[in-house]
């Protein structure tokens, strides 16, 4: 007998439910590498203030932030850029499975895309893998402290040139990429999640 197809909204009930969209290896990485659903909701609520805005997830992994945020905020366009081809493919498959239209996944390094095209940004400490290789996503790319510094400075400069009103959410960040013009306007009690606005 054919299994009934679950309603797509049921994926957002919990992290475990959402992770079922992916193969087991990707599910095992979830706790350490993909944003928990509760955090996505808070971050997206802050970033998706006005319809029609474009929000970029820098280092979008398997697409958990973008897909979940897009489900709760259908009038905002979410974009994710991811350097690992295999994760980008998993993001596209998950997007197809839930049938969410307002997400675009880009394969590439974030330094290769035009960051001036996006209004607001989400950043889950994407460059930290260059400093700490405990429980890595894979062994497919090179890690180095100088890459961490290069990426952090690159993002810092891009954010520095954004107009006032630009919103940024950081999760587990060392804040090396946040220029002084950005001020914290809200944060989680443990300070791991921070909401910033450029003044
Ligand atoms: C901690 S994971 C977060 C994934 C996703 N944002 C989420 O919250 O579920 C960070 C991701 O950033 C990606 N990444 C790291 N450096 C990158 C770069 N320079 N350009 C694009 N992606 C990058 C990694 O491959 C990894 O998938």
């Amino acid at each position: 007998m054919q299994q009934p197809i679950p309603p797509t909204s049921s994926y957002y009930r919990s992290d475990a439910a959402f992770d079922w969209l992916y193969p087991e290896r990707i599910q095992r990485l979830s706790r350490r590498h993909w944003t928990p659903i509760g955090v996505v909701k808070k971050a997206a609520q802050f970033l998706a203030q006005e319809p029609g805005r474009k929000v970029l997830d820098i280092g979008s992994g398997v697409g958990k932030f973008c897909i979940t945020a897009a489900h709760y905020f259908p009038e905002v366009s979410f974009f994710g850029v991811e350097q690992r081809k295999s994760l980008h493919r998993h993001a596209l498959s998950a997007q197809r499975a839930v049938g969410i239209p307002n997400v675009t996944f880009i394969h590439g390094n974030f330094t290769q895309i035009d960051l001036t095209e996006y209004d607001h940004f989400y950043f889950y400490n994407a460059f930290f893998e260059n400093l700490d290789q405990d429980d890595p996503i894979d062994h497919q790319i090179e890690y180095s402290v100088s890459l961490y510094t290069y990426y952090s400075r690159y993002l810092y400069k891009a954010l520095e040139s954004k107009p006032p009103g630009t919103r940024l959410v950081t999760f587990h960040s060392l804040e090396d990429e946040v220029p002084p013009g950005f001020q914290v306007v809200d944060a989680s009690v443990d300070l791991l999640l921070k909401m910033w606005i450029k003044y």
Side-chain angles (χ1 to χ4, degrees):
M1 206 174 74
Q2 229 184 354
Q3 291 291 315
I5 298 169
T8 51
S9 59
S10 67
Y11 289 116
Y12 309 98
R13 267 185 335 213
S14 67
D15 290 302
F18 191 88
D19 291 346
W20 270 104
L21 285 165
Y22 304 99
E24 218 175 300
R25 191 186 82 78
I26 299 297
Q27 290 180 27
R28 276 201 299 274
L29 294 171
S30 183
R31 226 171 71 88
R32 182 169 164 100
H33 294 284
W34 322 136
T35 306
I37 299 265
V39 172
V40 177
K41 284 193 206 165
K42 282 189 201 142
Q45 171 101 47
F46 176 75
L47 294 169
Q49 290 288 310
E50 299 147 29
R53 293 298 170 156
K54 294 165 85 175
V55 173
L56 178 69
D57 179 7
I58 297 162
S60 46
V62 293
K64 188 170 178 185
F65 172 81
C66 286
I67 293 172
T68 307
H71 168 77
Y72 286 105
F73 297 93
E75 291 180 352
V76 169
S77 299
F78 291 89
F79 296 78
V81 59
E82 170 54 49
Q83 64 180 350
R84 288 179 165 91
K85 183 80 186 155
S86 60
L87 301 188
H88 172 253
R89 279 206 208 100
H90 286 302
L92 292 177
S93 305
Q95 182 184 11
R96 266 195 304 274
V98 296
I100 209 112
N102 52 322
V103 179
T104 305
F105 289 114
I106 304 156
H107 172 235
N109 197 297
F110 86 102
T111 57
Q112 295 165 331
I113 66 169
D114 182 359
L115 297 174
T116 63
E117 282 188 11
Y118 304 94
D119 299 301
H120 306 302
F121 300 87
Y122 177 67
F123 183 71
Y124 178 5
N125 211 5
F127 315 141
F128 189 67
E129 62 182 0
N130 287 290
L131 302 182
D132 176 6
Q133 285 100 53
D134 262 5
D135 192 12
I137 292 176
D138 58 29
H139 298 281
Q140 304 296 310
I141 59 166
E142 295 221 354
Y143 301 113
S144 71
V145 174
S146 53
L147 260 185
Y148 174 85
T149 307
Y150 171 67
Y151 289 151
S152 301
R153 285 208 187 131
Y154 191 101
L155 185 52
Y156 179 106
K157 288 213 172 305
L159 291 174
E160 202 175 29
S161 64
K162 296 303 290 182
T166 300
R167 290 178 175 230
L168 166 71
V169 173
T170 56
F171 186 44
H172 284 268
S173 167
L174 302 179
E175 299 177 19
D176 291 323
E177 70 289 343
V178 185
F182 283 78
Q183 286 176 22
V184 176
V185 294
D186 201 0
S188 57
V189 177
D190 59 11
L191 297 180
L192 292 176
L193 181 69
K194 289 189 180 172
M195 282 74 160
W196 310 74
I197 295 185
K198 181 155 187 202
Y199 286 95

